[in-house]
Amino acid sequence: MARRVVTVFGGSGFIGRTLVRRLAAQGWVVRAAVRDPIAAEFLKPMGDVGQVTPLRADITDPKAVAAAVAGADAVVNLVGILYESGRRSFDAVHVKGAANVAAAAKAAGVARLVHMSALGADKNSESLYAQSKAAGEEAVLAAFPGATIFRPSVVFGPDDDFFNRFGKMAMISPVLPVFTGDGFKPVCTEHGCSIDLFGSGGPTFQPIHVGDVSGAIAKVLDDSRLAGKVYELGGPRRYSMKEIMELVLATTGQRSHLVPVPFGLGMLQATFLQMLPKPMLTKDQVRLMKVDNVVRGGKPGLADLGITPVAAETVLPLYMKRYGKHNQPDADAAA
């Protein structure tokens, strides 16, 4: 019996490497389509000899994409960017690149296509990122009507760029920001008046573990009855941004102070921070945070795939301890 072949665009990324390992364990022959196959050599030991192969393919190059999907039984597109840089714009990657993958998969007779979008996808959003994700979904479905779309909330795991970022900040900064749109309001009771600095605690997130995301994709690839739908993926609990920061402090043992930041001030900070080679914050990201990043309902989710989501509290201590006090440079020097 011939082994099934899957091409995973973005196979060396955060979600990609977890998915590649899972699919290889399930017997798939995996082509990891990446921009730098040499840097993706670490994927090879995830399968038997010759089972996992990194290959060069930029999704903005239609010819490279077509070569990468030729002869594949399934295709997964995980490629996405959080900020624009040079020619790698939201439109080039999330829309045109996604359309390239979908069109090539259809032309090659691929049986199943999975496309990674995001919960914030909305053509009417203030955020260009969210607009491009929505346009990408439309482009994919226009080229490959039977495609499966996944919209996850923020994804967490040992290599994430969410909790890890705040963990690093907690190590070096005495404060952690909490963006808020309804803070700094006077609150009066029979006992007197005060200022509610944080309001509702800022934007709300529903973090989902990377293992649950890869598990969801693998299930769809294995069962044709699950394909061709739009899935919204979120973890078992919703957290305000304030609660996210409190969780970071609880799992690292750091004592940074939480500081409320109005969105207007956040936009001003982002004006300068987005000029960095790898921006810490962009104005578009601030716009994106004005809308809660949670499952809305009305779409199938993890429960429909038979997956019980992992809670952040059970996993974060396993990798956030690296940002604990005992790992700070000054503590090591004094020892």
Side-chain angles (χ1 to χ4, degrees):
M1 180 178 176
R3 301 180 77 177
R4 297 174 299 172
V5 177
V6 58
T7 300
V8 181
F9 289 89
S12 62
F14 167 47
I15 298 174
R17 65 190 69 177
T18 302
L19 178 62
V20 167
R21 182 182 292 109
R22 183 183 292 268
L23 294 179
Q26 293 180 352
W28 288 85
V29 172
V30 184
R31 300 171 182 167
V34 297
R35 289 193 296 160
D36 186 350
I38 301 300
E41 292 283 323
F42 70 91
L43 296 172
K44 287 186 175 182
M46 293 182 180
D48 296 331
V49 176
Q51 186 182 3
V52 178
T53 304
L55 54 87
R56 188 185 306 278
D58 189 320
I59 65 170
T60 63
D61 181 349
K63 290 184 178 179
V65 170
V69 305
D73 299 288
V75 171
V76 180
N77 179 21
L78 301 174
V79 179
I81 56 176
L82 295 176
Y83 58 88
E84 297 180 305
S85 178
R87 291 183 298 175
R88 292 187 69 76
S89 66
F90 291 139
D91 182 67
V93 176
H94 295 162
V95 186
K96 295 176 182 175
N100 288 338
V101 173
K106 188 66 174 179
V110 172
R112 202 150 303 149
L113 170 64
V114 172
H115 174 72
M116 184 63 70
S117 185
L119 271 183
D122 181 359
K123 63 182 180 181
N124 296 316
S125 172
E126 291 183 35
S127 163
L128 295 178
Y129 170 89
Q131 291 177 27
S132 69
K133 282 293 188 178
E137 290 184 10
E138 292 183 356
V140 167
L141 294 174
F144 198 118
T148 302
I149 307 291
F150 280 107
R151 297 174 180 168
S153 184
V154 292
V155 183
F156 71 92
D159 301 315
D160 69 51
D161 192 34
F162 188 69
F163 285 106
N164 279 302
R165 175 176 296 197
F166 298 135
K168 293 174 184 176
M169 289 176 62
M171 286 187 75
I172 63 176
S173 174
V175 299
L176 290 178
V178 175
F179 292 97
T180 175
D182 59 359
F184 297 95
K185 290 185 177 180
V187 177
C188 294
T189 67
E190 59 183 20
H191 302 293
C193 294
S194 61
I195 300 296
D196 182 355
L197 297 176
F198 294 95
S200 57
T204 305
F205 304 89
Q206 198 169 346
I208 179 170
H209 188 248
V210 63
D212 292 333
V213 175
S214 64
I217 295 172
K219 286 222 172 189
V220 165
L221 294 182
D222 265 338
D223 191 342
S224 60
R225 295 171 299 178
L226 301 173
K229 303 175 183 178
V230 177
Y231 291 88
E232 292 190 340
L233 307 181
R237 181 184 163 189
R238 298 179 178 186
Y239 307 80
S240 67
M241 189 174 188
K242 182 172 182 287
E243 290 172 325
I244 289 288
M245 295 305 185
E246 291 170 342
L247 190 55
V248 168
L249 296 179
T251 54
T252 61
Q254 298 291 352
R255 295 186 178 181
S256 301
H257 297 283
L258 302 187
V259 176
V261 179
F263 282 118
L265 179 57
M267 290 291 282
L268 179 61
Q269 293 175 330
T271 300
F272 301 99
L273 293 175
Q274 67 184 11
M275 296 179 183
L276 298 172
K278 186 176 180 180
M280 292 180 61
L281 183 70
T282 69
K283 293 170 70 173
D284 195 70
Q285 289 168 349
V286 175
R287 296 187 190 101
L288 187 63
M289 283 192 287
K290 291 181 179 181
V291 179
D292 291 339
N293 194 257
V294 298
V295 171
R296 302 292 180 182
K299 300 286 185 185
L302 290 180
D304 299 274
L305 297 169
I307 296 175
T308 301
V310 174
E313 288 87 348
T314 64
V315 177
L316 290 180
L318 301 178
Y319 67 93
M320 292 296 284
K321 61 183 179 182
R322 73 186 82 171
Y323 305 113
K325 292 183 179 180
H326 60 285
N327 288 326
Q328 288 189 219
D330 56 348
D332 293 338

